[in-house]
Amino acid sequence: MRALELDDDRVRALRTEGQGLGRPFSSAAETVERVVGIQAQDARAGALGIRVRTHALTAADLRRALEVDRTLVRGWFLRGTLHTVTTADLHWLLDLLGPHVLRLSARRHRELGLDESLCDRAETVITDALAAQGPCTRAELTHRLADAGLPADGQAPFHLIRRTALRGRICFGPDRDGDATYVLLADWLPDAPGDGPTGDAAVTALARRYLRAHGPATLEDFAGWSGLPASAARRAWHSLDLLPVRVQDQDCALPADRADEIDAAPGPAPEVRLLPMYDNYLVAHRTSALSVPAAHQKQVRPGGGLIRAAVLTDGLACGTWSWRRDHADVTLFDPTAAPGLAPGIAAESTDIARFLRPAWTPPPATAP
């Protein structure tokens, strides 16, 4: 089949539509399911990434989903990076991604002197502490490791906790006075579905859902986003029912069942969107050429893995922003555009303030 040429505006329209940046989704759980996890190494940025894609969501709604309804959970998934995923996706994603991330982490573990025997001892210390005490902060678990004579300095505690999570033993639990805590996964989410795709079928399912949210995209985009080996990504990609398209002289694809969106898709979302740091829209492809103007790449991606919060309009970054107490402090790439963007920026700033406004306090955390 001959690939259909798509112009940049249409690609951005399809991507913003798939991401919920044009027409927001109805709930936090729907948002997270549709985009296959929200990047959340910065917890507040992760929350704002869900807000920008969800209609009328509040921070209280999101906290309830994480801590009471427990339809969402935070842990290490794609590329070994912290993400918020749905509880329904938890186990099959961990089974697929966890072993691969641990293989990639083995060298760093050796550099830190963390051999398998030591790691297994640490896992026992961590899980015993959580079983006895309930939710624990990283600092509390670090003290337990030190008391057991295990490494408790530098990066060692982080890697020991992360390894235990990647092995499916623990996950993030309730916040405590602004600090994240960890809990035993089996106690916190006893009803999390244990079934799901496995092996190549799991990679194929992940590729299909990636394209549904992030297409048009390339095979290399999927491999980079997922962190999976190129060979596994390639097998999954070629097993999909794809619609080939050409984007900036690159071979890309959409799921065949999104074909009707090419002509029917609306133009890029006219509203301004304030994307948080590390937003999915900015990290889901190997190049950000279609989401950030070439002249301003360094302003959004200055290096060192940092991806700044961005002002998005028509699917294209037009500035950066940061939160200053009660409003968004915006720096536009082109200051002359300020009058036209001011109403949209003000609306988004007001909505972020609404979202962040405390409205609900969860019950005290107790031991599982």
Side-chain angles (χ1 to χ4, degrees):
M1 180 187 299
R2 182 178 177 182
L4 179 66
E5 294 278 352
L6 297 181
D7 63 31
D8 294 355
D9 285 342
R10 185 43 53 105
V11 173
R12 285 190 281 265
L14 289 162
R15 288 180 179 176
T16 53
E17 187 72 9
Q19 286 269 313
L21 294 171
R23 288 177 287 191
F25 302 119
S26 61
S27 69
E30 182 187 10
T31 294
V32 173
E33 189 277 335
R34 286 294 299 271
V35 300
V36 208
I38 289 285
Q39 193 153 325
Q41 67 264 53
D42 181 292
R44 182 159 163 168
L48 291 172
I50 298 174
R51 175 212 70 90
V52 76
R53 295 168 168 83
T54 311
H55 177 68
L57 184 72
T58 67
D61 296 331
L62 180 55
R63 192 167 184 184
R64 186 181 296 276
L66 285 161
E67 299 184 15
V68 177
D69 301 334
R70 301 182 190 176
T71 54
L72 302 178
V73 61
R74 189 165 164 245
W76 287 273
F77 297 96
L78 303 155
R79 307 178 303 285
T81 302
L82 279 172
H83 282 74
T84 298
V85 304
T86 66
T87 301
D89 284 334
L90 168 66
H91 282 298
W92 76 267
L93 284 176
L94 265 183
D95 290 345
L96 173 64
L97 301 169
H100 178 63
V101 174
L102 286 173
R103 284 193 294 273
L104 295 178
S105 302
R107 178 178 177 181
R108 183 58 182 148
H109 290 175
R110 290 194 297 271
E111 292 172 350
L112 293 170
L114 308 178
D115 61 30
E116 283 298 299
S117 175
L118 187 152
C119 288
D120 288 343
R121 287 172 54 211
E123 181 176 308
T124 299
V125 169
I126 290 167
T127 54
D128 285 352
L130 296 177
Q133 185 177 330
C136 292
T137 64
R138 177 172 165 181
E140 289 167 342
L141 292 179
T142 299
H143 285 307
R144 290 294 191 108
L145 292 169
D147 289 345
L150 293 164
D153 296 322
Q155 294 184 9
F158 163 79
H159 281 278
L160 293 171
I161 292 169
R162 179 174 177 258
R163 176 186 182 271
T164 306
L166 286 165
R167 283 168 52 82
R169 303 298 308 282
I170 66 174
C171 63
F172 280 80
D175 276 4
R176 186 200 301 158
D177 300 325
D179 287 333
T181 69
Y182 301 91
V183 291
L184 290 174
L185 189 154
D187 287 343
W188 183 250
L189 298 170
D191 299 322
D195 55 351
T198 60
D200 284 350
V203 186
T204 300
L206 189 62
R208 183 180 298 111
R209 287 175 59 180
Y210 167 79
L211 269 180
R212 179 179 65 166
H214 302 284
T218 66
L219 164 60
E220 292 74 23
D221 289 334
F222 169 63
W225 169 85
S226 67
L228 290 168
S231 57
R234 187 177 303 109
R235 286 195 304 273
W237 193 264
H238 291 308
S239 71
L240 297 174
D241 186 10
L242 298 177
L243 176 69
V245 295
R246 292 280 292 174
V247 178
Q248 292 190 342
D249 296 324
Q250 275 195 311
D251 290 323
C252 295
L254 276 170
D257 59 11
R258 289 191 68 186
D260 59 347
E261 295 181 38
I262 291 178
D263 293 326
E271 299 90 353
V272 171
R273 292 286 185 262
L274 295 185
L275 305 183
M277 298 171 63
Y278 309 109
D279 190 79
N280 289 41
Y281 187 75
L282 301 174
V283 303
H285 303 88
R286 291 181 69 85
T287 171
S288 51
L290 280 162
S291 56
V292 182
H296 302 288
Q297 289 281 335
K298 285 292 185 183
Q299 287 160 273
V300 175
R301 305 178 77 123
L306 177 63
I307 301 175
R308 292 190 173 121
V311 183
L312 196 76
T313 185
D314 295 337
L316 190 65
C318 61
T320 59
W321 67 279
S322 57
W323 190 249
R324 304 296 185 199
R325 298 185 64 180
D326 60 355
H327 70 281
D329 185 6
V330 170
T331 301
L332 295 176
F333 301 150
D334 177 9
T336 65
L341 296 174
I345 291 171
E348 275 284 86
S349 183
T350 298
D351 194 66
I352 291 172
R354 175 202 59 79
F355 171 78
L356 293 174
R357 189 176 300 121
W360 172 73
T361 302
T366 58

